[in-house]
Amino acid sequence: MCDDHGHSAAEAAWSAPRIAEGPAVDPVALPEVDEVRVTTMVDNTFDALLVSAEGFTRASIGAGRTAARQFAGGEALAGLRAEHGFSALVTVQSGNASSTLLFDTGASPDGLAVNAERLGIDVGDLQGVVLSHGHFDHVGGFDGLARLRGRSGLPLTVHPAVWTRRLALPAGQGLEMPTLSRAALAREGFEVIERRQPSLLAGGILITGEVDRVTEFEHGMPQAHQAWDGNGWRHDPAVVDDQALVINVRGRGLVIITGCGHAGVVNIIRHAMRLTGVSKLLALIGGFHLSGPAFEPVIGPTVAALTELAPQLIVPGHCTGWRAQHTLSAALPDAWVQTSVGTTYTLSAPQGGDA
């Protein structure tokens, strides 16, 4: 896939955003599901020595056999691909009906596809793809996905600002991030659906749409994060296209999956609770973006808020950062689980209808 849109779509999205069709859905009557399974397809970490436990299953150490002539048997155990990116496969079950969505596609053109093949996952069962936001490390895997599926007209739900050109200024040097191309996605057969508002997707999965920023401590991206507004580069603290997935497990509460959590994970949780009227957080999985000097001051109040919310499962991944990981594991030792590519987390409703 090549980018041939000349940045015009991104500039239009930023300077004159299109109004998404359909009524706003606020509040949302979010259906309860019997079970949700979340498989980490792409993340920054793969550890083949981690063991499974109740509620989550680790990938087999034998996953990823590849040809290697230096071994007597002609094979190596290559494991799964880890990269600076994120992707999760989300399956919800209600009665005999199930629905599966892909949330983000990782950074590299082939990382998602390689891991799907090594895990034996058939992406032909997908009913849609959702993007958390437009940063390159969440939207890079469409080449591999198209290779595995062929042209299929798969629905792709995005925020209208996902096409925005963005610039990072590490150590004062401008690095323009790769920008997603709507034209290229259309050529590959993806059916692009733009929505700003909350949307109910297959099987009762909610995508939050734009997240309300209400906390006093989650201020977004630093000055080094820039966006093109049609005339020049300007500070882009909000990453307004940032959104998350929300599932309501019967009798247990909300499962929230974030890409980077640029809106702030506490903002995201409060937004999801306000939308749905469900005040209990069951699980939080994904990137929390608490890494580096601009975000480490936010670790304390974030961990304090999450501790008060008392999720039963918390899986910080991708851009969370090692300082936040250690702080979260110490504050929530019974809920925190180390992330690793290929892990499947299963959250089920109580048996017999007892909460």
Side-chain angles (χ1 to χ4, degrees), residues 13-355:
W14 193 265
S15 60
R18 287 156 285 177
I19 299 174
E21 295 181 359
V25 186
D26 187 5
V28 177
L30 186 58
E32 292 183 318
V33 305
D34 294 330
E35 183 176 273
V36 57
R37 296 186 300 278
V38 182
T39 300
T40 304
M41 300 300 300
V42 176
D43 206 337
N44 296 40
T45 304
F46 171 67
D47 187 340
L49 299 181
L50 295 176
V51 297
S52 302
E54 184 178 359
F56 60 93
T57 304
R58 302 294 191 182
S60 166
I61 195 171
R65 292 180 179 271
T66 57
R69 290 178 295 176
Q70 72 270 27
F71 291 108
E75 283 187 330
L77 296 178
L80 300 176
R81 181 82 62 83
E83 62 185 31
H84 181 78
F86 185 75
S87 176
L89 192 72
V90 182
T91 298
V92 295
Q93 185 88 28
S94 295
N96 294 324
S98 67
S99 301
T100 301
L101 297 175
L102 184 67
F103 186 53
D104 289 347
T105 66
S108 68
D110 63 338
L112 169 63
V114 166
N115 287 340
E117 290 176 313
R118 291 181 181 178
L119 290 168
I121 291 174
D122 181 7
V123 296
D125 293 335
L126 286 178
Q127 292 172 266
V129 181
V130 176
L131 295 183
S132 64
H133 63 300
H135 280 164
F136 67 96
D137 47 335
H138 296 257
V139 304
F142 282 102
D143 269 344
L145 183 60
R147 174 178 63 80
L148 293 181
R149 289 184 55 89
R151 289 183 57 86
S152 62
L154 191 66
L156 169 61
T157 303
V158 302
H159 186 283
V162 76
W163 323 108
T164 302
R165 290 173 62 191
R166 288 185 167 118
L167 181 74
L169 297 169
Q173 296 182 352
L175 171 66
E176 185 168 350
M177 303 180 192
T179 305
L180 194 62
S181 167
R182 179 170 185 155
L185 291 168
R187 286 195 299 273
E188 295 290 354
F190 293 98
E191 179 188 341
V192 178
I193 302 166
E194 294 184 354
R195 294 281 291 171
R196 290 182 180 275
Q197 298 97 338
S199 301
L200 273 175
L201 305 178
I205 299 174
L206 172 68
I207 183 168
T208 60
E210 292 182 15
V211 174
D212 291 339
R213 317 297 171 99
V214 297
T215 66
E216 296 180 353
F217 55 89
E218 292 170 314
H219 302 300
M221 298 292 280
Q223 187 70 33
H225 186 261
Q226 307 273 314
W228 183 257
D229 66 3
N231 297 303
W233 296 102
R234 66 176 179 83
H235 182 205
D236 176 25
V239 192
V240 69
D241 44 319
D242 186 76
Q243 49 191 353
L245 294 188
V246 184
I247 302 102
N248 185 15
V249 178
R250 175 171 50 82
R252 299 189 67 189
L254 299 180
V255 175
I256 299 176
I257 308 164
T258 66
C260 267
H262 286 299
V265 291
V266 181
N267 278 331
I268 291 168
I269 294 165
R270 291 180 180 177
H271 185 73
M273 289 179 171
R274 183 185 62 79
L275 284 175
T276 63
V278 179
S279 60
K280 187 173 183 180
L281 177 65
L282 171 58
L284 180 65
I285 301 170
F288 298 176
H289 215 287
L290 296 170
S291 180
F295 293 96
E296 287 176 1
V298 184
I299 292 174
T302 299
V303 173
L306 292 176
T307 302
E308 185 176 350
L309 289 163
Q312 294 183 36
L313 173 69
I314 186 167
V315 188
H318 182 38
C319 52
T320 301
W322 70 270
R323 290 184 186 276
Q325 289 280 11
H326 283 273
T327 308
L328 285 163
S329 68
L332 294 162
D334 296 328
W336 181 86
V337 173
Q338 182 176 336
T339 185
S340 180
V341 176
T343 304
T344 297
Y345 306 93
T346 301
L347 297 130
S348 304
Q351 296 295 319
D354 295 327

